[in-house]
């Protein structure tokens, strides 16, 4: 049986109008009914019927292991056998794969073997497979009936376009999953394919690794993008393929040249100095191979030109091992996560015997009416191998995985299910940000900015529910918001100590933002809730889900310029004690310019009430466009937008609309033109956005502190209220509309130092 949610294609099943019987066996696209009586599979169609005989053998493993999901459970076949057969002299004859799914009951459905097998039904030949026209000289008397149009065209392509990758016959692959994609320019159809390739096949000139399977030669799983173009070829052009040196038809040559040129251009972009590893995956795909097949009913003159491109997920072909059935699902998920996040540290399987205690510290998400995954933070006391007790934080995200994805995992399909993506989103961002910080700023900066990650694991607390856990450094004082609130409202701490702790903590937040900004990291969801304080009072960043790093070449250019200016300042300084301050003044413009550089993509996550005005450009443009289409006046739309943003406490959106109102835009076009001047009219963030986010989240915290202190009786907290009010003024001054008009982090440091001189002498 074919797994639910997958498609079993072989023998040319990529063709939408294929004459292959196996191409009709599709879990989601089958257009004709199929009947299985335990001995044979009968496929009925308008052109007749065909029987595929089942093999009677049964695997010993299949008898011993029951199906986990009953008769209707997907992926309930205990073993998949692959065998390659058929001649392939010089690569001219495509190889076919036989898939036998052996059921526990002894039933088996086998895909038809290549023509010539004893028990395989003969597949009807397409017109292109018939003898060539008599006007064309055949290559040999025996080759007339076995002439392969695809192989002949492949030979002609290799002679005419040597730069074109080798042919990747669709008959040599089994498509396990197909996802329709947006049709590319010039293509008729486009898909994302998860395919099982036969060992020895090549893609982009690289041999596919061979993996052993019980009773078979093995195979390899890869993901690729397939684009299909229908090409009409004249009979005279087909006749020219029978020559000793076949001539490539002009219609095919046009498609080949276009694909080769696109692939070469994309390869050049990838290798250029300015290419970004954070560019949207798959934006510049490279050609892996192609195939040409005749279309049934086209009299041999209508051909399908299939091109296979590398898929999102990286610039290399992601090859995953097709494991034997009945695998441990958590172990398969661990392998899939490590494959998808290469720089992630190895998993840490923590034995519960070594966990002395487990205390829930924080919980969020879940609920009957919510699709948010359950997120928990626990404090663990862990017995280390040397006998000491360590305190760790366990951050977990728990999601329910559909039955078809569970079945795929139990069969060993090493791919992270889409349903599990929310669980690994944070660790994916964590690795990207920490690796960037490590490369640019070094290990010491990384240790200052982020908590230590001890390891991670995948658990299945209940059937069908999987939990991704991260074991982190325990931050005893919780979030910076809770720490600052408790400090400023504490009755047992003197005022002078309160002021010192608060200003020290805010100063650390400024330092962490400065280090991230100099590394080219834009934290889209920065707020005091996402900063943790350890037992020593050290502030470290957390939850970098909304991070969006700058292009590496931009960061490298800033570093090169900064190092050059620093060296010049040091060489010109005669006072060895003052060169550090002089070098900071010399390099300050470099980092201020880098802070104005917008991130290439909008952050994937941001808290709306703290988001700066530049984050709302897309929202404002869409609202204005809708208002213009509805016939509203520009003034009416702007006022409605301002009231909406104000009611939702989205201060950045309100500030953006107010700036448009001050520009006195009379028409929607004038307002849209003003938005177009903000980074090309798209939402973005930059290093200067950190300043706004710090001001917005701190202002919200200080407002709650003022409410708390004002409600306490007596005048004992009047002086503390005055301190909070002055700090509030400083934070509100950070929330300006334009990133260029916001104070720099260095200016903010000076302002905090002035407050320290004014307030820390008290009691």
């Amino acid at each position: 049986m074919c797994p639910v949610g997958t498609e079993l294609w072989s023998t040319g099943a990529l063709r939408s109008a294929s004459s292959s019987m196996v191409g009709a066996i599709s879990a989601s696209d089958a257009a004709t009914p199929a009947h299985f009586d335990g001995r044979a599979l009968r496929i009925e169609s308008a052109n007749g019927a065909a029987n595929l005989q089942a093999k009677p053998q049964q695997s010993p493993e299949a008898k011993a292991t029951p199906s986990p999901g009953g008769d209707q459970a997907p992926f309930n076949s205990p073993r998949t056998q692959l065998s390659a057969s058929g001649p392939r002299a010089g690569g001219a004859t495509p190889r076919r794969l036989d898939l036998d799914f052996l059921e526990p009951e002894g039933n088996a459905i086998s895909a038809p073997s290549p023509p010539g097998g004893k028990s395989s039904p003969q597949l009807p030949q397409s017109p292109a497979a018939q003898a060539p026209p008599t006007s064309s000289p055949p290559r040999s008397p025996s080759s007339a009936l076995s002439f392969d149009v695809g192989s002949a065209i492949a030979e002609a392509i290799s002679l005419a376009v040597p730069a074109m990758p080798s042919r990747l016959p669709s008959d040599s692959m089994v498509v396990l999953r197909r996802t329709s994609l947006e049709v590319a320019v010039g293509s008729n159809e486009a898909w994302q394919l998860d395919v099982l390739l036969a060992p020895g096949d090549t893609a982009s000139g690289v041999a596919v690794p061979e993996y052993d399977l019980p009773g078979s030669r093995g195979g390899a799983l890869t993901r690729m993008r397939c684009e299909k173009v229908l090409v009409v070829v004249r009979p005279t052009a087909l006749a020219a393929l029978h020559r000793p040196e076949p001539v490539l038809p002009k219609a095919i040559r046009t498609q080949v040249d276009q694909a080769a040129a696109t692939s070469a251009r994309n390869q050049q972009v990838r290798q250029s100095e300015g290419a970004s590893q954070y560019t949207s995956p798959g934006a510049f795909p490279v050609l892996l191979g192609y195939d040409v097949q005749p279309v049934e009913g086209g009299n041999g003159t209508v051909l399908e030109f299939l091109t296979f491109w590398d898929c999102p997920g990286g610039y290399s072909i992601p090859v995953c091992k097709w494991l034997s059935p009945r695998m441990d699902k958590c172990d398969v998920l661990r392998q899939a996560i490590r494959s998808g996040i290469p720089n992630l540290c190895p998993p840490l399987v923590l034995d519960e015997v070594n966990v002395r205690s487990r205390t829930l510290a924080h919980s969020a998400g879940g609920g009957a009416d919510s699709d948010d995954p359950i997120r928990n933070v626990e404090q663990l006391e862990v017995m280390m191998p040397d006998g000491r007790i360590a305190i760790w934080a366990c951050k977990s995200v728990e999601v329910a995985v559909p039955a078809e994805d569970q079945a795929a995992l139990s069969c060993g399909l090493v791919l992270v299910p889409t349903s599990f993506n929310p669980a690994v989103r944070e660790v994916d961002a964590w690795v990207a940000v920490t690796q960037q910080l490590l490369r640019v700023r070094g290990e010491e900066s990384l240790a200052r900015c982020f908590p230590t990650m001890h390891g991670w694991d995948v658990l299945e607390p209940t059937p069908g529910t999987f939990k991704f856990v991260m074991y982190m450094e325990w931050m005893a004082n919780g979030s910076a918001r809770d720490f600052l609130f408790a400090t400023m409202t504490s009755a047992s701490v003197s005022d002078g100590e309160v002021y010192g702790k608060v200003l020290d903590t805010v100063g650390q937040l400024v330092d962490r933002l400065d280090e991230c900004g100099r590394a080219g990291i834009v934290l889209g969801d920065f707020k005091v809730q996402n900063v943790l304080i350890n037992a020593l009072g050290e502030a470290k960043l957390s939850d970098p889900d909304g991070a969006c790093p700058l292009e590496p070449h931009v960061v490298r250019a800033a570093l090169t310029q900064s190092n050059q200016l620093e060296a010049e300042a040091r060489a010109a300084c005669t006072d060895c004690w003052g060169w550090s301050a002089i070098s900071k003044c010399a390099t300050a413009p470099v980092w201020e310019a880098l802070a104005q550089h917008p991130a290439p993509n909008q952050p994937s996550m941001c808290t709306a009430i703290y988001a700066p005005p530049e984050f709302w450009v897309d929202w404002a443009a869409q609202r204005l466009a809708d208002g213009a289409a509805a016939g509203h006046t520009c003034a009416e739309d702007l006022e409605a937008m301002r009231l909406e943003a104000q009611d939702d406490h989205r201060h950045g959106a309100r500030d953006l609309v107010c700036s448009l109102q001050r520009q006195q835009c009379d028409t929607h076009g004038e307002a849209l033109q003003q938005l177009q001047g903000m980074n090309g009219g798209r939402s973005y963030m930059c290093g200067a956005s950190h300043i706004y986010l710090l001001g917005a989240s701190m202002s919200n915290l200080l407002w709650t502190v003022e409410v708390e202190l004002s409600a306490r009786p007596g005048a004992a907290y009047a002086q503390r209220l005055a301190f909070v009010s002055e700090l509030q003024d400083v934070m509100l001054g950070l929330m300006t509309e334009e990133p260029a008009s916001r104070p720099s982090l260095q200016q903010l440091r000076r302002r905090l130092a002035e407050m320290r001189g004014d307030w820390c002498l008290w009691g």
Side-chain angles (χ1 to χ4, degrees):
M1 295 177 65
C2 297
V4 175
T6 64
E7 299 181 8
L8 175 60
W9 297 353
S10 70
T11 319
L14 288 176
R15 302 189 296 275
S16 60
S18 173
S19 61
S20 169
M21 294 296 178
V22 182
I25 308 177
S26 172
S28 60
D29 294 338
T32 56
H35 308 282
F36 181 59
D37 60 2
R39 295 182 301 276
L41 176 69
R42 180 173 180 82
I43 303 175
E44 299 179 354
S45 66
N47 297 327
N51 294 322
L52 303 183
Q53 298 295 330
K55 295 184 179 181
Q57 70 264 22
Q58 183 178 6
S59 165
E61 294 86 347
K63 296 179 180 179
T65 307
S67 172
D71 295 338
Q72 301 298 326
F75 280 88
N76 58 354
S77 57
R79 181 168 58 181
T80 304
Q81 292 185 346
L82 300 175
S83 62
S85 58
R88 197 176 187 182
T93 304
R95 176 169 50 228
R96 304 174 188 271
L97 291 179
D98 294 341
L99 259 71
D100 300 337
F101 289 99
L102 305 183
E103 298 294 338
E105 295 79 13
N107 298 331
I109 305 174
S110 61
S113 301
K118 294 182 180 180
S119 61
S120 301
Q122 295 293 327
L123 302 180
Q125 292 184 337
S126 61
Q130 305 296 331
T134 55
S135 59
S136 302
R139 300 187 186 184
S140 64
S142 61
S143 65
L145 295 178
S146 61
F147 177 69
D148 188 341
V149 174
S151 299
I153 292 179
E155 184 178 352
I157 290 176
S158 64
L159 295 174
V161 189
M164 190 70 173
S166 58
R167 183 190 181 199
L168 191 60
S170 57
D171 293 337
S172 68
M173 61 181 71
V174 176
V175 179
L176 303 172
R177 183 173 299 170
R178 179 187 67 170
T179 304
S180 296
L181 301 175
E182 182 180 353
V183 178
V185 177
S187 300
N188 299 102
E189 292 184 70
W191 310 282
Q192 176 178 291
L193 307 177
D194 292 335
V195 300
L196 194 63
L197 298 177
D201 287 328
T202 59
S204 188
V206 180
V208 175
E210 180 175 344
Y211 295 112
D212 294 331
L213 291 171
S216 74
R217 289 187 56 199
L221 181 70
T222 184
R223 174 170 290 181
M224 61 180 67
R225 176 189 175 99
C226 176
E227 296 181 6
K228 182 188 77 173
V229 178
L230 294 178
V231 180
V232 179
V233 181
R234 293 181 300 176
T236 55
L238 288 175
L241 294 173
H242 293 264
R243 300 177 182 176
E245 292 188 359
V247 179
L248 185 62
K250 184 177 180 180
I252 296 291
R253 177 63 183 267
T254 301
Q255 299 297 330
V256 170
D257 289 342
Q258 181 179 354
T262 300
S263 180
R265 183 174 62 251
N266 291 348
Q267 184 68 35
Q268 184 178 6
V269 171
R270 290 185 182 184
Q271 297 175 352
S272 63
E273 183 178 356
S276 171
Q277 59 179 314
Y278 301 104
T279 303
S280 176
F284 302 101
V286 173
L287 190 64
L288 305 177
Y290 70 93
D291 194 17
V292 181
Q293 297 288 352
V295 176
E296 182 182 7
N299 297 324
T301 61
V302 181
L303 306 176
E304 285 181 351
F305 181 68
L306 303 171
T307 51
F308 304 101
W309 307 77
D310 58 1
C311 228
Y315 288 157
S316 60
I317 308 172
V319 179
C320 304
K321 187 174 181 180
W322 180 262
L323 304 173
S324 59
R326 301 297 183 266
M327 293 294 298
D328 181 83
K329 291 177 283 189
C330 291
D331 187 55
V332 175
L333 258 180
R334 294 185 190 106
Q335 297 181 53
I337 292 170
R338 291 204 68 184
S339 176
I341 312 176
N343 292 320
L344 183 62
C345 62
L348 175 63
V349 180
L350 194 61
D351 192 345
E352 283 296 323
V353 176
N354 297 325
V355 179
R356 299 286 299 272
S357 67
R358 185 184 295 268
T359 305
L360 181 64
H362 176 72
S363 182
D369 300 329
S370 175
D371 295 331
D372 294 337
I374 300 175
R375 303 175 183 272
N376 293 326
V377 178
E378 298 174 299
Q379 180 190 27
L380 304 183
E381 291 186 4
V382 182
M383 176 71 74
M384 304 302 292
D386 58 2
R388 62 185 178 88
I389 301 296
I391 306 299
W392 287 1
C394 176
K395 299 183 64 176
S396 64
V397 182
E398 187 174 322
V399 296
V401 176
E404 57 270 20
D405 289 337
Q406 296 181 50
L409 292 173
S410 66
C411 277
L413 187 60
V414 187
L415 289 174
V416 178
T418 304
S419 57
F420 199 69
N421 284 338
V424 297
R425 182 178 58 192
E426 179 180 346
V427 71
D428 192 11
W430 182 281
V431 171
V433 170
T434 54
Q435 288 296 314
Q436 172 88 345
L437 190 62
L438 180 63
R439 286 192 300 266
V440 180
R441 304 289 295 173
E443 293 184 1
E444 293 184 1
S445 178
L446 177 61
R448 284 192 301 269
C449 290
F450 289 93
T452 303
M453 182 175 177
H454 301 299
W456 58 275
D457 198 8
V458 176
L459 307 174
E460 189 178 9
T462 58
T465 301
F466 291 83
K467 180 190 295 185
F468 181 84
V469 298
M470 297 171 61
Y471 300 115
M472 314 285 296
E473 171 188 356
W474 174 251
M475 308 297 284
N477 285 313
S479 70
R481 180 184 177 90
D482 294 339
F483 177 75
L484 290 172
F485 183 87
T487 300
M488 287 185 281
T489 58
S490 174
S492 60
V493 181
S494 65
D495 288 345
E497 189 176 355
V498 168
Y499 307 148
K501 282 187 176 182
V502 171
L503 293 175
D504 283 344
T505 303
V506 177
Q508 289 189 66
L509 301 185
V510 174
D511 292 340
R512 303 300 172 262
L513 293 178
D514 192 15
E515 293 194 73
C516 286
R518 294 191 179 205
I521 299 171
V522 178
L523 300 172
D525 197 27
F526 173 81
K527 53 188 175 183
V528 289
Q529 292 92 323
N530 285 344
V531 179
L532 302 177
I533 310 295
N534 63 14
L536 300 177
E538 298 170 341
K540 299 189 179 185
L541 303 171
S542 179
D543 298 334
D545 298 29
C548 184
L550 302 181
E551 297 91 338
H553 74 279
V554 174
V555 182
R556 286 196 299 266
L559 284 173
T560 301
Q561 185 180 5
S562 175
N563 293 335
Q564 181 180 355
L565 292 175
E566 184 176 342
E568 293 175 356
R570 184 168 187 174
C573 181
T574 58
D575 182 5
C576 62
W577 299 101
W579 78 268
S580 178
I582 295 176
S583 65
K584 287 183 179 179
C585 294
T587 59
V590 176
W591 303 119
E592 291 178 6
L594 184 66
Q596 304 301 320
H597 194 88
N601 301 309
Q602 182 180 3
S604 58
M605 182 180 296
C606 187
T607 304
I609 61 174
Y610 304 139
E614 55 268 23
F615 182 81
W616 299 102
V617 173
D618 283 344
W619 167 80
Q622 185 63 48
R623 290 295 305 272
L624 289 172
D626 294 342
H632 303 162
T633 65
C634 181
E636 291 174 347
D637 283 333
L638 290 176
E639 183 61 18
M641 293 161 60
R642 185 189 68 81
L643 294 176
E644 176 187 339
Q646 182 171 310
D647 292 341
D648 294 338
H649 304 286
R650 298 182 299 186
H651 306 294
R654 180 202 60 194
D655 294 342
L656 177 62
V657 175
C658 289
S659 67
L660 294 177
Q661 290 178 321
R662 286 195 299 270
Q663 296 293 333
Q664 297 182 352
C665 301
D666 296 329
T667 64
H668 292 86
E670 293 179 0
L672 290 172
Q673 187 175 3
Q674 292 291 335
L675 292 175
Q676 191 67 25
M678 300 185 65
N679 197 51
R682 68 174 179 86
S683 294
Y684 71 101
M685 280 196 187
C686 58
S689 301
H690 293 162
I691 301 174
Y692 189 101
L693 292 168
L694 174 61
S697 59
M698 278 294 300
S699 296
N700 182 275
L701 166 63
L702 294 173
W703 178 78
T704 60
V705 172
E706 288 180 336
V707 172
E708 174 67 21
L709 295 179
S710 300
R712 296 188 179 181
Y717 296 97
Q719 181 177 298
R720 200 171 293 187
L721 271 172
F723 169 80
V724 172
S725 178
E726 182 174 344
L727 186 58
Q728 178 76 286
D729 292 339
V730 175
M731 294 297 117
L732 291 175
L734 306 180
M735 300 171 61
T736 58
E737 299 165 6
E738 294 292 335
S741 64
R742 293 167 194 158
S744 66
L745 293 176
Q746 190 63 24
Q747 292 172 328
L748 181 56
R749 285 194 183 96
R750 288 197 294 267
R751 187 68 183 89
L752 295 175
E754 292 174 0
M755 288 192 64
R756 177 181 293 277
D758 293 339
W759 290 94
C760 289
L761 297 179
W762 291 92

